[in-house]
Amino acid sequence: AARRSGLDRALAEGSFELYYQPIVWLDDGDIGGFEALVRWPQPDGTIIMPDDFIPLAEATGQILPLGRWILRTATEQAARWNEARLAAGVAPVKISVNVSAHQLRDPGFPDEVGKALTDAGLDPAFLMVEATESALIDRAGQALANLRTLTQHGVGVSLDDFGTGYSSLSYLRDLPVSALKIDKAFVDGVPAEPRQTALVKGIIGIAKSLTLMVVAEGVETREQRRALQNMGADLGQGYLYARPMPVREASELMRAGR
Ligand code: G
Ligand code: G
Ligand code: MN
Ligand code: NA
């Protein structure tokens, strides 16, 4: 199990690694962006997954330095990718970065994001911050103020794991978000389970009427892809397209594709 001292050492030694999973336009299969997902490789070749150390890092506050590293690494990488894409005449990609409740309610968070973007040379329009519903409910005041500041500066905000939290629809109306990620738990039932599919259709309808982009998570089959596209989802992410992969593979995927 992960321990606080182990996280401290890994932070000091720079042992973490970012994987990247493509987020794909459902209509033509072009890559619209990537989600950065943190990994903790071990000397024996195994990898500790984020569910096994992010909760500890949140509890100890170590998520603040770890989150800063993730943000800086992901924005630098996206800036490099987009330089190459610009030179090749292809559309730039967005980078999505997960942020925890602790980071979101840190009053210094918007400045930190701004500084990461400036240092990386990345246009704010190509950064998406992914926040969960629960992170927004917890100490919502400062978190919401931070998200407003970010959106005013042109950074996108995605509501992650949508449908699994407790947010009411009126809450969704007032949130400064630009995209909604439908959780895999909902996508799993599409199109086989009629009630689940109806629910997803309704979620997409609400999102569209609020002019939010819709990303379906955990897309694993072509049937799902087709049904989600027919229901109006914009983008998909999942094993049908690709698993989260190391930076070198993500770079190759873009060179090979678009
Ligand atoms: O592949 P997956 O196991 O990567 O990620 C599991 C969960 O861990 C994600 O749903 C997300 O909530 C969390 N996670 C992954 N990467 C990050 C990260 O960089 N920062 C934060 N705060 N959470 C992450
Ligand atoms: O931050 P978030 O909870 O959205 O992270 C996405 C999680 O979902 C990561 O753990 C990622 O590895 C995982 N994931 C992405 N696509 C798929 C998929 O198609 N199937 C499954 N089972 N998991 C996926
Ligand atoms: Mn996410
Ligand atoms: Na999610």
Side-chain angles (χ1 to χ4, degrees):
R3 295 204 289 152
R4 179 184 200 129
S5 57
L7 284 176
D8 272 338
R9 204 175 319 116
L11 278 166
E13 294 174 356
S15 310
F16 295 101
E17 187 177 341
L18 291 188
Y19 274 41
Y20 298 90
Q21 186 179 32
I23 301 176
V24 174
W25 290 102
L26 292 174
D27 54 0
D28 59 11
D30 280 2
I31 295 174
F34 285 86
E35 179 175 2
L37 294 155
V38 69
R39 302 287 183 261
W40 185 6
Q42 300 298 298
D44 65 4
T46 61
I47 293 175
I48 305 185
M49 299 298 279
D51 285 336
D52 295 324
F53 63 91
I54 291 286
L56 174 68
E58 292 204 38
T60 62
Q62 287 163 304
I63 192 69
L64 294 182
L66 176 56
R68 192 173 310 126
W69 178 84
I70 291 166
L71 188 63
R72 296 189 68 87
T73 304
T75 49
E76 280 167 21
Q77 187 56 57
R80 239 171 273 147
W81 280 334
N82 283 345
E83 256 169 55
R85 290 174 75 88
L86 186 66
V90 283
V93 288
K94 293 193 183 193
I95 188 77
S96 294
V97 177
N98 292 284
V99 296
S100 73
H102 211 107
Q103 291 173 280
L104 267 179
R105 65 179 187 239
D106 174 2
F109 184 64
D111 278 347
E112 202 175 284
V113 172
K115 193 160 185 328
L117 289 166
T118 305
D119 290 350
L122 184 71
D123 186 316
F126 301 120
L127 175 64
M128 298 292 296
V129 164
E130 290 197 9
T132 61
E133 292 172 63
S134 49
L136 292 176
I137 284 161
D138 184 31
R139 306 266 196 103
Q142 185 63 50
L144 285 186
N146 282 349
L147 289 184
R148 283 210 187 85
T149 304
L150 288 174
T151 52
Q152 279 158 13
H153 286 87
V155 173
V157 176
S158 296
L159 195 53
D160 201 2
D161 303 337
F162 184 79
T164 63
Y166 301 94
S167 51
S168 70
L169 295 176
S170 62
Y171 191 73
L172 183 62
R173 176 195 63 203
D174 299 329
L175 278 177
V177 297
S178 40
L180 194 152
K181 296 188 80 172
I182 302 178
D183 196 72
K184 178 177 183 302
F186 290 91
V187 171
D188 278 345
V190 175
E193 294 165 31
R195 293 172 66 83
Q196 191 78 318
T197 305
L199 204 54
V200 168
K201 192 173 181 181
I203 293 172
I204 294 171
I206 289 166
K208 295 277 106 183
S209 62
L210 294 172
T211 66
L212 302 175
M213 294 293 286
V214 177
V215 184
E217 300 191 287
V219 180
E220 295 184 343
T221 69
R222 287 157 58 191
E223 290 68 34
Q224 279 176 320
R225 188 205 67 76
R226 198 176 310 117
L228 288 159
Q229 191 196 342
N230 287 338
M231 291 190 284
D234 302 290
L235 295 140
Q237 178 179 357
Y239 296 173
L240 173 65
Y241 297 108
R243 292 177 181 252
M245 63 188 87
V247 61
R248 180 191 294 270
E249 283 175 44
S251 304
E252 278 167 16
L253 180 76
M254 274 190 289
R255 264 196 298 279
R258 290 159 282 199

